[in-house]
Amino acid sequence: MEGNQSWIAEFILLGFQLSEDMELLLFVIFILLYTFNLLANGMILGLISLDPRLHIPMYYFLSHLAITDVAYASSHLPNMLENLVKHKKTISYFSCTMQMVSYLAFASVECLTLVVMSYDRFVAICHPLQYTVIMNWRVCTFLAIAFWACGFSLAIVQVSLFLRLPFCGPQKVNHFFCEIRSVLKVTCGETWINDIFLLADGVFILIAPISLVLVSYVCILRAILKIQSKEGRKKAFSTCSSHLCVVGFYFGIVLMVYMIPDDDNREEPQKILFLFYTFFNPLLNPLIYSLRNAQVKAAFHRVLKKKRTV
């Protein structure tokens, strides 16, 4: 086992160097946040499915965003929670590979979902008379299938390139889950092809979507400013502000993690950013849409009213 080897049984996830008592405390905090994540996104999905007034494209894509948030967190949190409570740091090669496929796929799907939601708001505000024609259910279904297929295709390509690499020596990954760049650092083979594809994915999944979102919101802002009625401007802006907050949180964190050049001195801050993205971003999305969206709040009150009458 001390020589070179092309296949290994498990990785060691270094995570954060903490005492056992601190690990138990973090386990309690993280499992509470994970539970809130499931409940909050489950509430959004329940409201959208139960209230016919929310059966429109905007909330159709919001339901996909909620599913993605739950799936992303669930892709690696169970293993992390198990390691915290059992005070172990290992993960099998197969589980590590599945983690990489899952988090790459769901992160890509979330990026593309946010772009589609921006386009939906652009059509609704800039072309309101043509909205039902442009954003019909056939188009919405096609877009949903497209961003899910694209997300998983990109993830499978990345992991396929990873699987060809040999390993040697101790497989200590300086992260709390199998983040692909951290795992690539412990391989023995040449990773320049992987780095090129990761850079290309970053441009396709981050730079291009951010550019499209910015263009959409510039057009939306121009259209809102042309509205004569103050009440009309307020209503139009309120429908976009929730989505803009989600986009800002999401892309801001991801850009800091992936688009800044990799550096060993930045590994600990990057792990903290990943922790924030894993636990708080999926929780912020439903909270923002619940607290800042009048239609979601109205749907929540209608559901409560129905239950009381029953």
Side-chain angles (χ1 to χ4, degrees):
M1 293 294 291
E2 293 178 359
N4 290 352
Q5 59 185 61
S6 60
W7 184 88
I8 58 171
E10 63 183 19
F11 292 97
I12 300 171
L13 299 174
L14 298 180
F16 299 99
Q17 303 303 313
L18 303 169
S19 65
E20 291 189 358
D21 291 338
M22 183 60 69
E23 286 184 340
L24 288 175
L25 176 62
L26 287 179
F27 170 80
V28 174
I29 294 172
F30 290 165
I31 200 168
L32 286 174
L33 290 173
Y34 181 48
T35 303
F36 289 147
N37 172 16
L38 297 178
L39 292 174
N41 284 290
M43 181 197 72
I44 291 290
L45 289 170
L47 288 175
I48 293 171
S49 62
L50 292 173
D51 195 324
R53 300 184 190 185
L54 299 183
H55 294 175
I56 57 176
M58 175 182 174
Y59 297 103
Y60 172 71
F61 294 124
L62 178 58
S63 66
H64 284 272
L65 188 65
I67 292 170
T68 305
D69 283 335
V70 170
Y72 178 86
S74 301
S75 66
H76 56 272
L77 279 182
N79 176 263
M80 178 183 173
L81 293 172
E82 180 187 1
N83 287 355
L84 285 173
V85 74
K86 293 184 177 180
H87 309 297
K88 70 184 186 73
K89 296 179 180 294
T90 58
I91 183 172
S92 69
Y93 184 88
F94 176 78
S95 297
C96 186
T97 304
M98 290 298 100
Q99 272 193 8
M100 283 190 282
V101 171
S102 300
Y103 98 83
L104 286 170
F106 293 126
S108 300
V109 170
E110 183 155 4
C111 285
L112 298 174
T113 305
L114 291 172
V115 174
V116 172
M117 292 176 74
S118 298
Y119 176 70
D120 174 75
R121 292 300 83 206
F122 163 76
V123 176
I125 293 175
C126 298
H127 304 283
L129 299 179
Q130 299 174 296
Y131 180 76
T132 55
V133 177
I134 298 174
M135 297 301 294
N136 60 68
W137 284 111
R138 181 179 296 179
V139 171
C140 293
T141 303
F142 170 79
L143 289 173
I145 293 172
F147 58 64
W148 279 97
C150 185
F152 273 90
S153 297
L154 292 173
I156 290 170
V157 169
Q158 290 290 352
V159 174
S160 298
L161 291 171
F162 161 78
L163 291 175
R164 69 183 176 82
L165 296 171
F167 293 89
C168 54
Q171 308 309 318
K172 295 182 179 179
V173 178
N174 190 14
H175 220 291
F176 58 85
F177 76 105
C178 287
E179 194 273 324
I180 190 165
R181 292 194 305 178
S182 299
V183 179
L184 286 174
K185 291 180 180 179
V186 302
T187 64
C188 296
E190 292 289 339
T191 62
W192 62 272
I193 296 178
N194 303 72
D195 295 334
I196 290 174
F197 272 83
L198 282 172
L199 179 61
D201 276 4
V203 173
F204 180 73
I205 294 296
L206 292 176
I207 303 302
I210 289 175
S211 302
L212 291 172
V213 169
L214 289 175
V215 170
S216 296
Y217 273 94
V218 167
C219 296
I220 288 170
L221 182 60
R222 290 175 60 185
I224 290 175
L225 293 176
K226 291 179 181 179
I227 298 175
Q228 299 296 325
S229 167
K230 182 179 179 181
E231 187 64 28
R233 286 198 302 270
K234 183 179 178 181
K235 183 178 179 180
F237 183 76
S238 66
T239 61
C240 300
S241 58
S242 300
H243 180 253
L244 198 55
C245 289
V246 171
V247 168
F249 278 119
Y250 179 82
F251 282 111
I253 294 172
V254 175
L255 281 174
M256 284 190 287
V257 171
Y258 279 109
M259 299 313 293
I260 296 175
D262 197 12
D263 185 355
D264 291 339
N265 296 325
R266 296 182 61 253
E267 287 183 340
E268 293 303 312
Q270 280 187 335
K271 283 191 283 187
I272 295 172
L273 285 173
F274 263 108
L275 207 59
F276 185 89
Y277 174 74
T278 299
F279 284 102
F280 293 101
N281 196 66
L283 189 59
L284 285 173
N285 290 350
L287 289 178
I288 289 172
Y289 278 107
S290 299
L291 297 175
R292 295 184 59 86
N293 192 295
Q295 285 181 292
V296 172
K297 288 189 286 186
F300 182 72
H301 291 306
R302 284 194 294 271
V303 170
L304 286 180
K305 190 176 180 180
K306 284 182 182 179
K307 287 187 175 181
R308 288 174 184 172
T309 56
V310 172

